[in-house]
């Protein structure tokens, strides 16, 4: 009886192990099928990748061929342009030299006429510039009395305090208190041009300290 129970126990245990083994075999079969499917997909992807690489290589070769053809065409056009420029340069060299001579004669004539105009205006010119009152001049607030005034553009009137009579002085031009630096430069710009043309020109200012000499020359 004890031996029968032991045999039944062993047989049950053997059936259980056989069931587990069958389950494991099924799992292994599923895994093998999955692996086979993945390997098949990998092979298909590798084939597709190889075909794409082949197409890309063909496209690169075609594009390189087009670029080389374009480069050759541009080189040929450049050679033709250079040859045309050399031919045109030989033909236009005389014309350029002729135009340069005309320009040089025009510049020389302009300088000559400019100097004639400057001589007609006077080789020595004297200008007067009236400086406006400044806060530091010591006048009482609101007092703008001036004993020096500009006349018609070339005269200066000077009156002494308490003396009704005036003294008139004439210059080539008089700049009144409202004249700015641009007015002064416009008047002497012809002399600046003469200096740039190579002629000797002297501009200097004269007056007492604080009268605006440096301000006028600095522009």
């Amino acid at each position: 009886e004890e031996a029968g129970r032991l045999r039944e126990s062993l047989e049950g245990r053997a059936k259980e192990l056989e069931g587990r083994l069958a389950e494991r075999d099924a799992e292994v079969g599923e895994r093998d099928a999955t692996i086979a499917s993945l390997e098949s997909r990998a092979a298909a992807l590798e084939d597709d990748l190889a075909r794409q690489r082949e197409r890309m290589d063909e496209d690169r070769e075609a594009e390189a061929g087009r670029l080389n053809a374009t480069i050759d065409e541009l080189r040929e056009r450049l050679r033709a342009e250079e040859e045309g420029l050399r031919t045109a340069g030989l033909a236009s060299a005389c014309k350029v030299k002729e135009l340069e001579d005309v320009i040089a004669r025009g510049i020389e004539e302009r300088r000559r006429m400019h100097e004639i105009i400057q001589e007609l205006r006077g080789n020595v010119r004297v200008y007067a510039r009236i400086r406006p009152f400044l806060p530091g001049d010591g006048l009482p607030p609101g007092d703008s009395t001036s004993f020096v005034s500009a006349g018609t553009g070339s005269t200066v009137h000077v009156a002494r305090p308490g003396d009704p009579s005036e003294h008139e002085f004439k210059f080539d031009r008089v700049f009144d208190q409202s004249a700015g630096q641009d007015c002064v430069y416009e008047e002497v710009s012809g002399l600046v041009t003469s200096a740039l043309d190579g002629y000797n020109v002297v501009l200097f200012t004269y007056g007492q300290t604080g009268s605006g000499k440096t301000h006028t020359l600095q522009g």
Side-chain angles (χ1 to χ4, degrees):
E1 185 179 354
E2 182 68 24
R5 286 196 301 270
L6 180 59
R7 186 171 54 252
E8 290 177 359
S9 175
L10 291 174
E11 289 176 355
R13 182 65 176 171
K15 289 180 180 179
E16 180 182 355
L17 292 175
E18 288 176 355
R20 291 183 180 178
L21 180 60
E23 291 178 357
R24 295 290 179 87
D25 290 340
E27 292 178 357
V28 170
E30 291 178 358
R31 291 178 182 175
D32 290 341
T34 302
I35 291 173
S37 176
L38 292 176
E39 289 177 348
S40 176
R41 291 178 60 185
L45 291 174
E46 288 179 354
D47 293 339
D48 185 52
L49 180 60
R51 287 192 297 271
Q52 291 183 2
R53 286 177 177 174
E54 184 177 356
R55 285 196 299 268
M56 290 177 63
D57 291 339
E58 293 175 355
D59 293 340
R60 287 197 191 98
E61 291 178 359
E63 183 65 21
R66 288 193 294 270
L67 290 176
N68 289 331
T70 303
I71 292 172
D72 293 338
E73 181 183 356
L74 291 175
R75 285 176 176 171
E76 186 63 28
R77 290 175 59 185
L78 180 59
R79 283 194 293 268
E81 290 290 338
E82 290 177 348
E83 184 65 26
L85 288 175
R86 280 194 292 268
T87 303
L90 294 175
S92 62
C94 295
K95 185 65 176 179
V96 171
K97 182 63 170 62
E98 180 182 350
L99 292 175
E100 289 176 347
D101 293 340
V102 171
I103 292 173
R105 289 195 298 270
I107 292 174
E108 187 61 31
E109 181 65 16
R110 197 266 316 157
R111 288 178 178 174
R112 189 181 69 84
M113 295 302 296
H114 178 76
E115 286 310 305
I116 291 176
I117 293 173
Q118 296 306 310
E119 290 179 359
L120 291 175
R121 295 184 63 184
N123 287 329
V124 179
R125 305 172 205 170
V126 181
Y127 302 116
R129 188 177 190 185
I130 302 174
R131 195 204 73 179
F133 284 109
L134 300 177
D137 287 339
L139 287 178
D143 187 358
S144 60
T145 302
S146 176
F147 301 105
V148 180
S149 60
T152 59
S154 61
T155 59
V156 173
H157 299 280
V158 179
R160 293 181 178 180
D163 187 352
S165 61
E166 289 185 343
H167 299 276
E168 182 180 271
F169 299 90
K170 292 186 178 182
F171 299 89
D172 290 289
R173 180 172 175 179
V174 175
F175 300 96
D176 60 16
Q177 294 93 328
S178 62
Q181 298 288 73
D182 55 339
C183 296
V184 178
Y185 179 78
E186 182 180 358
E187 182 65 27
V188 301
S189 60
L191 300 177
V192 175
T193 301
S194 295
L196 295 176
D197 287 341
Y199 293 92
N200 294 325
V201 176
V202 177
L203 293 173
F204 70 93
T205 56
Y206 179 81
Q208 67 184 31
T209 301
S211 60
K213 302 184 297 299
T214 304
H215 173 75
T216 297
L217 282 182
Q218 286 180 341

